[in-house]
PDB file of all heavy atoms in Angstrom:
ATOM      1  N   CYS A  62     -25.850  -7.962  16.583  1.00 98.00           N
ATOM      2  CA  CYS A  62     -26.271  -7.653  17.957  1.00 98.00           C
ATOM      3  C   CYS A  62     -27.578  -8.361  18.309  1.00 98.00           C
ATOM      4  O   CYS A  62     -28.211  -8.983  17.460  1.00 98.00           O
ATOM      5  CB  CYS A  62     -26.441  -6.141  18.087  1.00 98.00           C
ATOM      6  SG  CYS A  62     -27.540  -5.386  16.859  1.00 98.00           S
ATOM      7  N   ASP A  63     -27.969  -8.224  19.612  1.00 98.00           N
ATOM      8  CA  ASP A  63     -29.234  -8.854  20.028  1.00 98.00           C
ATOM      9  C   ASP A  63     -30.054  -7.868  20.871  1.00 98.00           C
ATOM     10  O   ASP A  63     -30.337  -8.107  22.043  1.00 98.00           O
ATOM     11  CB  ASP A  63     -28.979 -10.162  20.796  1.00 98.00           C
ATOM     12  CG  ASP A  63     -28.219  -9.962  22.105  1.00 98.00           C
ATOM     13  OD1 ASP A  63     -27.481  -8.964  22.238  1.00 98.00           O
ATOM     14  OD2 ASP A  63     -28.406 -10.793  23.016  1.00 98.00           O
ATOM     15  N   PRO A  64     -30.465  -6.722  20.290  1.00 98.00           N
ATOM     16  CA  PRO A  64     -31.183  -5.692  21.048  1.00 98.00           C
ATOM     17  C   PRO A  64     -32.465  -6.260  21.689  1.00 98.00           C
ATOM     18  O   PRO A  64     -33.316  -6.792  20.987  1.00 98.00           O
ATOM     19  CB  PRO A  64     -31.566  -4.646  20.010  1.00 98.00           C
ATOM     20  CG  PRO A  64     -30.958  -5.034  18.721  1.00 98.00           C
ATOM     21  CD  PRO A  64     -30.396  -6.390  18.845  1.00 98.00           C
ATOM     22  N   GLY A  65     -32.454  -6.002  22.902  1.00 98.00           N
ATOM     23  CA  GLY A  65     -31.516  -5.788  24.014  1.00 98.00           C
ATOM     24  C   GLY A  65     -31.261  -4.294  24.252  1.00 98.00           C
ATOM     25  O   GLY A  65     -31.078  -3.526  23.315  1.00 98.00           O
ATOM     26  N   ASP A  67     -28.818  -2.610  26.155  1.00 98.00           N
ATOM     27  CA  ASP A  67     -27.510  -1.980  25.928  1.00 98.00           C
ATOM     28  C   ASP A  67     -27.110  -2.049  24.458  1.00 98.00           C
ATOM     29  O   ASP A  67     -26.394  -1.165  23.962  1.00 98.00           O
ATOM     30  CB  ASP A  67     -26.434  -2.535  26.862  1.00 98.00           C
ATOM     31  CG  ASP A  67     -26.222  -4.020  26.737  1.00 98.00           C
ATOM     32  OD1 ASP A  67     -27.170  -4.748  26.403  1.00 98.00           O
ATOM     33  OD2 ASP A  67     -25.088  -4.466  26.965  1.00 98.00           O
ATOM     34  N   ASP A  68     -27.612  -3.063  23.730  1.00 98.00           N
ATOM     35  CA  ASP A  68     -27.414  -3.083  22.278  1.00 98.00           C
ATOM     36  C   ASP A  68     -28.104  -1.865  21.651  1.00 98.00           C
ATOM     37  O   ASP A  68     -27.582  -1.242  20.726  1.00 98.00           O
ATOM     38  CB  ASP A  68     -28.025  -4.339  21.646  1.00 98.00           C
ATOM     39  CG  ASP A  68     -27.533  -5.637  22.228  1.00 98.00           C
ATOM     40  OD1 ASP A  68     -27.954  -5.973  23.346  1.00 98.00           O
ATOM     41  OD2 ASP A  68     -26.712  -6.297  21.575  1.00 98.00           O
ATOM     42  N   ASN A  95     -30.808 -11.968  23.971  1.00 98.00           N
ATOM     43  CA  ASN A  95     -31.679 -11.231  24.902  1.00 98.00           C
ATOM     44  C   ASN A  95     -33.139 -11.546  24.617  1.00 98.00           C
ATOM     45  O   ASN A  95     -33.977 -11.594  25.511  1.00 98.00           O
ATOM     46  CB  ASN A  95     -31.432  -9.726  24.762  1.00 98.00           C
ATOM     47  CG  ASN A  95     -30.078  -9.338  25.312  1.00 98.00           C
ATOM     48  OD1 ASN A  95     -29.588  -9.969  26.250  1.00 98.00           O
ATOM     49  ND2 ASN A  95     -29.443  -8.350  24.724  1.00 98.00           N
ATOM     50  N   THR A 177     -22.126  -7.873  19.522  1.00 99.00           N
ATOM     51  CA  THR A 177     -22.528  -7.574  20.909  1.00 99.00           C
ATOM     52  C   THR A 177     -23.614  -8.530  21.400  1.00 99.00           C
ATOM     53  O   THR A 177     -24.321  -8.231  22.356  1.00 99.00           O
ATOM     54  CB  THR A 177     -23.042  -6.120  21.042  1.00 99.00           C
ATOM     55  OG1 THR A 177     -24.219  -5.977  20.228  1.00 99.00           O
ATOM     56  CG2 THR A 177     -21.982  -5.116  20.632  1.00 99.00           C
ATOM     57  N   GLY A 178     -23.731  -9.644  20.738  1.00 99.00           N
ATOM     58  CA  GLY A 178     -24.629 -10.715  21.184  1.00 99.00           C
ATOM     59  C   GLY A 178     -23.883 -12.033  21.071  1.00 99.00           C
ATOM     60  O   GLY A 178     -22.651 -12.029  20.911  1.00 99.00           O
ATOM     61  N   ASN A 219     -23.577 -13.793  26.765  1.00 99.00           N
ATOM     62  CA  ASN A 219     -23.435 -14.044  25.322  1.00 99.00           C
ATOM     63  C   ASN A 219     -22.750 -15.386  25.066  1.00 99.00           C
ATOM     64  O   ASN A 219     -23.139 -16.146  24.176  1.00 99.00           O
ATOM     65  CB  ASN A 219     -22.629 -12.939  24.645  1.00 99.00           C
ATOM     66  CG  ASN A 219     -23.409 -11.636  24.555  1.00 99.00           C
ATOM     67  OD1 ASN A 219     -24.639 -11.639  24.576  1.00 99.00           O
ATOM     68  ND2 ASN A 219     -22.695 -10.515  24.498  1.00 99.00           N
ATOM     69  N   ASP A 298     -22.393  -3.168  25.673  1.00 98.00           N
ATOM     70  CA  ASP A 298     -22.276  -3.152  24.205  1.00 98.00           C
ATOM     71  C   ASP A 298     -21.832  -1.786  23.689  1.00 98.00           C
ATOM     72  O   ASP A 298     -21.113  -1.696  22.685  1.00 98.00           O
ATOM     73  CB  ASP A 298     -23.613  -3.547  23.577  1.00 98.00           C
ATOM     74  CG  ASP A 298     -24.034  -4.950  24.009  1.00 98.00           C
ATOM     75  OD1 ASP A 298     -23.150  -5.728  24.423  1.00 98.00           O
ATOM     76  OD2 ASP A 298     -25.232  -5.262  23.939  1.00 98.00           O
TER      77      ASP A 298
HETATM   78 CA1   CA B 478     -26.089  -7.680  23.609  1.00 75.62          CA
END
Side-chain angles (χ1 to χ4, degrees):
C62 54
D63 63 335
D67 59 330
D68 304 75
N95 290 329
T177 63
N219 289 336
D298 300 338

